[in-house]
């Protein structure tokens, strides 16, 4: 039976099986069918007195003061005195930045720093002092602050189908953030994510536009409220189309028509504007409306969208902020200079590190006429107006009610309720659930007692990595929740089921799933499948091991997205999608044991794939295993039949690229530092440290830097003859890509030009490989400038590389002095408009 026919039968079976599947909460509005960007009547309606006051304040500013107000600097690089001297309008703490760079900084430390920044902004020589505003990525609670409650990530909230819950979470988050002295949250994310390969898809409430619109309105209402002392400014992000990118590539290109962009991906912004949102963050992605014949380019440079659609058509009265160094991605721009972005409609520029150069460049560009003064006045007027609306003038952060109150960092009861409402029951054969109190329970799996896995990305650190349970003092793991529900004496935990006979227990709960990640590092490569076992084979092996006991097996899946899990579903008797539940794992046990009568309420906010290769949502129901809105309740009464494993699908054949390094090495590849012979050291996942290798007399020095976006590149300095390479333990076949005229591509910044040869090699095992001479190409690049290199695979084949058996797709050999930064290393056959392959002759291949 072919897979399409089988999926159709399963779809019909699921309808019968899921008699209890339902959409909870109030009814959602129908999908819209706008012909163009609509005009939105919102809570931030015209206020002539407020507008006039903002204009008077701006009229009294010098050019330097205005540009300062348009600048947002990172707390790692800006002091309170900098705020005073440069009239900075905003500061931010990105993921992994805390007061004093102390991950465990107390609420008093946060508040003290907020006061110092505020006092500095009140000590300028401006005619009317304008308070600085501090922004933070509070995306599932005040998630950068030690001890704060972490709510389920957005996809889990989408499963709850409860706008009232989302409104309460927004309000609780606002109280926590404001207690630290911070007054601006970069939330909510309003992506209507269509491809779960996107590593940020868990930040999307749903693939269904009406739900995202409803949630956007509720979340903004919760955060901003009545603009009182317990509220914070909200941010609708990322405008627009971040959830529409081709193949789910982070910061990639949306290839949808205008009707889809307006009615699907615009939906959240309509809800946010209805609630009076005061800021919108422009997205990293670009948009090519192929059907309409309009390529809008990168969002940060699109006047048609930022000014024409958002401000003019929709009537947005707040201000637009760019994302982290996003202006540097526009043609002709750098992180410190981009008149195009300001002219397009960016009002505040997030330039965490190069803010001094940005201010100097922008002042000069205004004086030279590259940026009209009217555009500057409009931008600053919008910023000042938002600060007035939020009531930021007049009081230090520490003088506001609740400031410094650590109790406001927590709302554990609300978070636990959110966990309960978000859980989705996909399978419950023989009514294994609910479990009965007193059950002799074996708990296994890497995520059972891991608050880091439970919290996911954007949790204390940017990626949610480098955390332990000790970093979450006011939290409960899923394991501890199960112990509370069943009695600690009845629960045995063995992460890998070592030395345990599962037959000695009444039932088994296995808590498995994904590990934390955020933007870029959570992406699934286009050539990879969505098969869970391909990425986490150890979890599947554990399930196979304990399933042999024949005891009831309940799988709790902790992950930010639906994945192809047919083999896991077949091994399990019950399967619960827990998403990324945050800090209150006890909510899982409440429902597994039906404590207090709690039943499953959650339903899927997006389709669940029934085949290993992606695009399941775009391909439609024939490739879904479960449709949006699916979810079971107690009692189930129907069993899920066995599912096909599709073991024959190893890769997604239509993939046109293979990523090698994208912020981190992409499996199956790993990065290595190596000498000229055989000594080497693997490069780990640390994004903050610096490595000198080997030992006392290093040949290479490596650190993480930015070339395109935050911490996306490796800067390598050669101190002697050495190699920097990527390698796979098993060879990969690039012959299909080569036949499609693929090239080895990467972005590079030459920091110190080489005086000797620089060789780029591709290896295929011992005594097999081909290399090209990269030295003359690099010599032609100006030091410190980003360049994109694209060398056809055919060049390496002509020099002896066996492209059917490549284990080293990228290797740089050089000697001192030479230093360069490398980003986004990939093999690609994509015929992009800006692709410019080097000729084989230019790299020494005749």
């Amino acid at each position: 039976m072919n897979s399409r026919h089988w999926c159709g039968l399963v779809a019909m079976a699921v309808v019968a099986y899921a008699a209890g599947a339902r959409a909870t909460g109030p009814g959602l509005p129908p999908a819209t069918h706008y012909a163009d960007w609509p005009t939105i009547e919102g809570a931030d309606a015209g206020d002539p007195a407020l507008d006039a006051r903002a204009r008077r304040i701006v009229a009294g500013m010098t050019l330097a003061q205005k540009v300062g107000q348009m600048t947002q600097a990172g707390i790692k690089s800006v002091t309170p005195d900098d705020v005073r001297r440069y009239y900075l309008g905003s500061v931010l703490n990105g993921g992994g930045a805390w007061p004093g760079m102390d991950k465990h900084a107390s609420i008093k430390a946060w508040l003290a720093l907020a006061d110092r920044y505020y006092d500095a902004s009140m000590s300028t020589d401006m005619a009317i002092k304008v308070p600085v505003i501090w922004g933070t990525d509070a995306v599932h609670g005040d998630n950068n602050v030690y001890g704060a409650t972490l709510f389920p990530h957005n996809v889990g909230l989408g499963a709850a189908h409860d706008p009232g819950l989302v409104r309460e979470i927004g309000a609780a988050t606002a109280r926590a953030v404001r207690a630290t002295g911070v007054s601006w949250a970069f939330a909510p994310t309003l992506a209507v994510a269509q491809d779960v390969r996107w590593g940020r898809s868990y930040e999307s409430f749903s693939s269904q536009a009406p739900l995202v619109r409803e949630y956007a309105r509720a979340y903004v209402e919760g955060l901003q409220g009545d603009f009182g002392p317990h509220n914070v400014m909200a941010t609708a992000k990322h405008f627009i189309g971040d959830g529409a990118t081709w193949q789910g590539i982070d910061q990639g290109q949306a290839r949808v028509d205008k009707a889809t962009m307006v009615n699907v991906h615009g939906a959240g912004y309509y809800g946010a504007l209805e609630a009076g949102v005061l800021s919108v963050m422009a997205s990293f992605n670009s948009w090519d409306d192929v059907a309409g014949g309009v390529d809008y380019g990168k969002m940060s440079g699109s006047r048609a969208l930022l000014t024409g659609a958002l401000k003019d058509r929709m009537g947005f009265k707040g201000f637009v902020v760019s994302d982290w160094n996003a202006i540097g991605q526009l043609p002709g721009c750098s992180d410190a200079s981009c008149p195009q972005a300001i002219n397009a409609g960016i009002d505040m520029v997030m330039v965490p590190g190069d803010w001094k150069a940005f201010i100097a460049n922008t002042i000069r560009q205004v004086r030279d006429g590259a940026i009209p003064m009217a555009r500057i006045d409009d931008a600053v007027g919008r910023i000042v107006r938002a600060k007035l609306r939020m009531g930021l003038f007049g009081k230090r952060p520490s003088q506001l009610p609740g400031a410094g109150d650590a109790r406001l960092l927590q709302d554990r009861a609300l978070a636990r309720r959110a966990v309960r409402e978000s859980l989705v029951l996909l399978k419950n054969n023989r009514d294994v659930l609910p479990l009965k109190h007193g059950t002799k329970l074996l708990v296994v799996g890497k995520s059972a007692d891991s608050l880091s896995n439970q919290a996911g990305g954007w949790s204390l650190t940017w990626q949610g990595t480098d955390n332990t349970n000790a970093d979450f003092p006011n939290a409960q793991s899923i394991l501890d929740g199960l112990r509370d529900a069943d009695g600690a004496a009845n629960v045995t935990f063995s992460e890998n089921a070592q030395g345990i006979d599962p037959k000695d227990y009444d039932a088994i709960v296995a808590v498995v799933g994904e590990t934390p990640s955020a933007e870029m590092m959570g992406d699934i490569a286009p050539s990879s499948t969505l098969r869970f076992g391909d990425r986490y084979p150890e979890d599947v092996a554990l399930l196979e091991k304990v399933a042999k006991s024949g005891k009831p097996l309940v799988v709790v899946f902790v992950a930010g997205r639906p994945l192809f899990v047919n083999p896991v579903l077949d091994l399990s008797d019950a399967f619960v999608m827990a998403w990324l539940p945050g800090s209150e794992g006890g909510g899982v046990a409440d429902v597994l044991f039906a404590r207090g009568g709690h039943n499953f309420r959650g339903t899927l906010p997006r389709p669940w794939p029934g085949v290993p290769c992606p695009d399941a949502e775009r391909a439609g129901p024939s490739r879904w295993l479960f449709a949006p809105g699916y979810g079971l309740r107690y009692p189930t009464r129907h069993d899920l039949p066995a599912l096909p494993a599709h073991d024959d699908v190893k890769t997604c054949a239509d993939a046109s690229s293979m990523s090698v390094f994208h912020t981190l090495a992409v499996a199956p590849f790993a990065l290595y530092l190596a000498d000229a012979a055989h000594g080497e050291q693997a490069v780990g996942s640390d994004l903050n440290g610096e490595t000198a290798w080997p030992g006392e007399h290093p040949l290479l020095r490596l650190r993480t830097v930015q070339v395109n976006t935050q911490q996306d590149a490796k800067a390598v300095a050669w101190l002697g003859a050495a190699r920097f390479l990527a390698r796979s333990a098993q060879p990969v076949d690039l012959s299909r890509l080569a036949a499609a005229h693929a090239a080895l591509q990467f972005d590079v910044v030459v920091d110190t030009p080489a005086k000797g040869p620089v060789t780029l090699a591709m290896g295929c095992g011992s005594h097999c490989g081909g290399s090209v001479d990269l030295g003359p190409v690099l010599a032609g690049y100006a030091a410190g400038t980003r360049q994109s290199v694209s060398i056809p695979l055919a060049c390496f084949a002509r020099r002896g590389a066996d492209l059917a058996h490549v284990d080293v797709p990228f290797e740089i050999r050089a000697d001192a002095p030479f230093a360069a930064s490398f980003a986004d290393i990939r093999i690609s056959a994509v015929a992009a408009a800006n692709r410019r392959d080097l000729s084989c002759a230019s790299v020494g291949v005749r």
Side-chain angles (χ1 to χ4, degrees):
M1 183 181 297
N2 65 53
S3 61
R4 174 166 298 190
H5 180 52
W6 183 92
C7 286
L9 292 178
V10 166
M12 291 185 288
V14 161
V15 171
Y17 174 56
R22 67 273 168 228
T24 62
L28 296 174
T32 59
H33 299 282
Y34 297 124
D36 204 344
W37 304 104
T39 298
I40 302 298
E41 296 295 331
D44 186 28
D47 185 335
L50 187 75
D51 295 345
R53 186 180 174 193
R55 285 195 297 270
R56 286 195 301 271
I57 293 172
V58 175
M61 292 185 191
T62 66
L63 175 58
Q65 290 165 353
K66 292 174 182 177
V67 173
Q69 284 298 301
M70 295 172 64
T71 305
Q72 185 178 62
I75 65 169
K76 287 183 179 180
S77 68
V78 64
T79 66
D81 194 54
D82 289 330
V83 170
R84 179 191 65 80
R85 290 176 58 204
Y86 294 92
Y87 315 103
L88 296 181
S90 181
V91 297
L92 82 151
N93 62 289
W98 318 273
M101 285 308 294
D102 177 8
K103 185 164 71 170
H104 293 177
S106 68
I107 190 172
K108 294 186 183 301
W110 285 88
L111 186 60
L113 184 56
D115 269 349
R116 291 198 295 274
Y117 282 134
Y118 177 88
D119 291 345
S121 68
M122 294 291 101
S123 302
T124 68
D125 58 2
M126 297 173 72
I128 300 177
K129 319 298 185 192
V130 178
V132 68
I133 187 168
W134 183 340
T136 187
D137 285 294
V139 298
H140 65 132
D142 199 3
N143 45 265
N144 292 294
V145 178
Y146 178 71
T149 291
L150 303 183
F151 297 98
H153 271 291
N154 285 355
V155 67
L157 299 182
H161 291 82
D162 188 347
L165 171 68
V166 168
R167 187 177 293 105
E168 290 185 55
I169 288 172
T173 299
R175 290 191 295 271
V177 171
R178 204 63 187 264
T180 66
V182 177
S183 50
W184 182 8
F186 299 142
T189 297
L190 302 178
V192 188
Q194 299 298 303
D195 194 326
V196 296
R197 285 178 293 188
W198 185 35
R200 301 188 74 166
S201 59
Y202 66 82
E203 297 184 55
S204 169
F205 292 118
S206 174
S207 62
Q208 312 298 302
L211 180 61
V212 176
R213 181 172 185 166
E214 193 79 2
Y215 268 27
R217 181 167 48 245
Y219 209 121
V220 172
E221 288 171 351
L223 286 171
Q224 291 189 171
D226 59 359
F227 308 108
H230 291 300
N231 297 117
V232 296
M233 186 164 69
T235 308
K237 68 179 189 182
H238 308 84
F239 187 82
I240 187 171
D242 51 345
T245 60
W246 179 68
Q247 296 185 328
I249 296 172
D250 189 57
Q251 305 181 20
Q253 184 184 63
R255 301 178 183 178
V256 298
D257 60 22
K258 185 174 180 179
T260 301
M261 191 64 83
V262 169
N263 290 288
V264 176
H265 301 284
Y269 299 93
Y270 312 146
L273 266 63
E274 287 164 349
V277 71
L278 292 177
S279 71
V280 168
M281 185 179 291
S283 185
F284 278 114
N285 68 275
S286 59
W287 173 27
D288 186 1
D289 177 6
V290 178
V294 182
D295 187 348
Y296 293 89
K298 285 281 186 181
M299 293 299 103
S300 296
S302 177
R303 179 175 172 79
L305 296 172
L306 298 181
T307 299
L310 180 61
K311 296 178 179 179
D312 295 344
R313 294 278 308 191
M314 295 186 217
F316 175 57
K317 294 178 173 60
F319 68 91
V320 177
V321 61
S322 60
D323 209 332
W324 185 284
N325 285 333
I327 62 171
Q329 295 187 5
L330 298 182
C333 291
S334 70
D335 293 345
S337 176
C338 196
Q340 299 96 307
I342 296 171
N343 288 334
I346 296 291
D347 301 306
M348 180 178 284
V349 180
M350 187 186 295
V351 52
D354 290 342
W355 56 269
K356 287 182 182 178
F358 168 78
I359 290 173
N361 289 332
T362 304
I363 291 172
R364 186 183 67 254
Q365 288 154 1
V366 175
R367 288 174 176 161
D368 291 346
I371 305 173
M373 182 61 80
R375 173 76 271 272
I376 296 294
D377 287 344
D378 174 63
V380 181
R382 289 171 176 271
I383 293 165
V384 171
R385 182 183 180 279
K387 291 179 178 182
L388 289 168
R389 195 87 164 97
M390 284 302 304
L392 300 184
F393 287 71
K395 286 188 177 181
R396 303 175 82 209
S398 61
Q399 294 174 324
L400 296 173
D405 187 347
R407 292 172 298 180
L408 295 179
L409 294 178
Q410 299 173 40
D411 196 331
R412 299 188 64 175
L414 179 62
R416 189 162 181 153
R417 171 189 155 200
V419 173
R420 290 194 296 263
E421 290 194 28
S422 70
L423 302 175
V424 180
L425 180 61
L426 299 183
K427 179 180 180 179
N428 193 25
N429 284 14
R430 304 189 309 280
D431 285 314
V432 166
L433 293 176
L435 297 170
K436 294 179 175 58
H437 179 78
T439 298
K440 189 177 181 183
L441 198 62
L442 173 63
V443 180
V444 300
K446 67 173 186 280
S447 297
D449 194 30
S450 173
L451 291 168
S452 178
N453 289 356
Q454 201 171 295
W458 299 107
S459 299
L460 286 180
T461 63
W462 173 35
Q463 296 289 324
T465 54
D466 302 316
N467 293 323
T468 68
N469 283 5
D471 291 313
F472 303 96
N474 302 311
Q476 185 179 46
S477 70
I478 293 172
L479 172 64
D480 284 341
L482 292 170
R483 286 170 171 157
D484 280 355
D486 196 31
N490 296 317
V491 178
T492 298
F493 174 59
S494 176
E495 180 174 327
N496 300 310
Q498 296 293 332
I500 295 287
D501 187 352
K503 293 180 181 178
D504 294 337
Y505 299 86
D506 299 327
I508 304 162
V509 173
V511 189
V512 297
E514 295 187 291
T515 52
S517 64
E519 52 197 315
M520 296 178 290
M521 279 167 278
D523 285 4
I524 296 176
S527 58
S528 300
T529 73
L530 293 181
R531 185 183 287 108
F532 174 65
D534 288 351
R535 300 173 62 230
Y536 299 98
E538 69 282 1
D539 281 358
V540 177
L542 173 64
L543 297 176
E544 290 172 342
K545 176 180 178 179
V546 297
K548 291 177 182 177
S549 67
K551 292 303 178 82
L553 174 58
V554 178
V555 172
V556 176
F557 198 59
V558 177
R561 54 193 156 194
L563 295 170
F564 178 75
V565 292
N566 285 14
V568 175
L569 282 162
D570 279 350
L571 288 168
S572 66
D573 296 288
F575 187 101
V576 177
M577 182 52 166
W579 311 104
L580 299 171
S583 55
E584 293 303 320
V588 175
D590 288 345
V591 182
L592 293 188
F593 281 87
R595 297 179 82 188
H598 289 301
N599 204 329
F600 284 92
R601 293 189 54 190
T603 62
L604 290 178
R606 59 185 322 111
W608 196 287
V611 294
C613 278
D615 288 337
E617 291 167 70
R618 294 175 182 169
S622 67
R623 295 169 67 84
W624 298 347
L625 181 59
F626 304 116
Y630 172 84
L632 306 175
R633 291 178 67 97
Y634 302 140
T636 305
R637 298 192 179 92
H638 296 282
D639 286 359
L640 184 71
L643 307 172
H646 295 294
D647 289 333
D648 56 318
V649 180
K650 304 299 183 184
T651 62
C652 297
D654 59 348
S656 55
S657 65
M658 177 180 293
S659 187
V660 176
F661 168 76
H662 191 65
T663 303
L664 291 175
V666 178
F669 302 107
L671 298 182
Y672 294 88
L673 304 177
D675 58 26
H678 303 292
E680 64 182 26
Q681 173 180 306
V683 175
S685 60
D686 182 12
L687 296 177
N688 297 308
E690 182 172 312
T691 299
W693 181 86
E696 296 182 2
H697 304 287
L699 299 172
L700 291 168
R701 182 171 287 115
L702 179 140
R703 58 193 176 92
T704 301
V705 297
Q706 174 170 326
V707 165
N708 296 310
T709 190
Q710 187 177 7
Q711 295 178 301
D712 71 323
K714 296 300 182 186
V716 187
W718 272 258
L719 309 177
R723 299 173 292 147
F724 172 60
L725 66 135
R727 189 176 63 234
S728 169
Q730 299 295 325
V732 296
D733 185 356
L734 302 182
S735 58
R736 181 178 295 169
L737 284 166
H741 308 289
L744 171 59
Q745 300 176 338
F746 56 94
D747 298 327
V748 63
V749 174
V750 175
D751 301 306
T752 302
K755 293 185 178 178
V758 179
T759 301
L760 174 62
M762 186 171 285
C764 41
S766 299
H767 311 296
C768 175
S771 62
V772 301
D773 183 5
L774 200 60
V777 173
L778 298 181
Y781 296 154
T785 63
R786 181 182 65 231
Q787 305 289 339
S788 294
V789 177
S790 183
I791 302 175
L793 294 185
C795 301
F796 298 95
R798 286 166 60 180
R799 297 300 293 267
D802 178 359
L803 298 180
H805 300 88
V806 172
D807 61 347
V808 177
F810 176 88
E811 177 182 289
I812 297 288
R813 304 171 187 162
D815 203 340
F818 176 54
S821 301
F822 302 92
D824 197 13
I825 305 169
R826 63 214 181 267
I827 312 292
S828 179
V830 177
N834 60 350
R835 173 174 165 175
R836 299 288 185 272
D837 288 350
L838 296 169
S839 68
C840 291
S842 69
V843 289
V845 180
R846 306 295 177 183

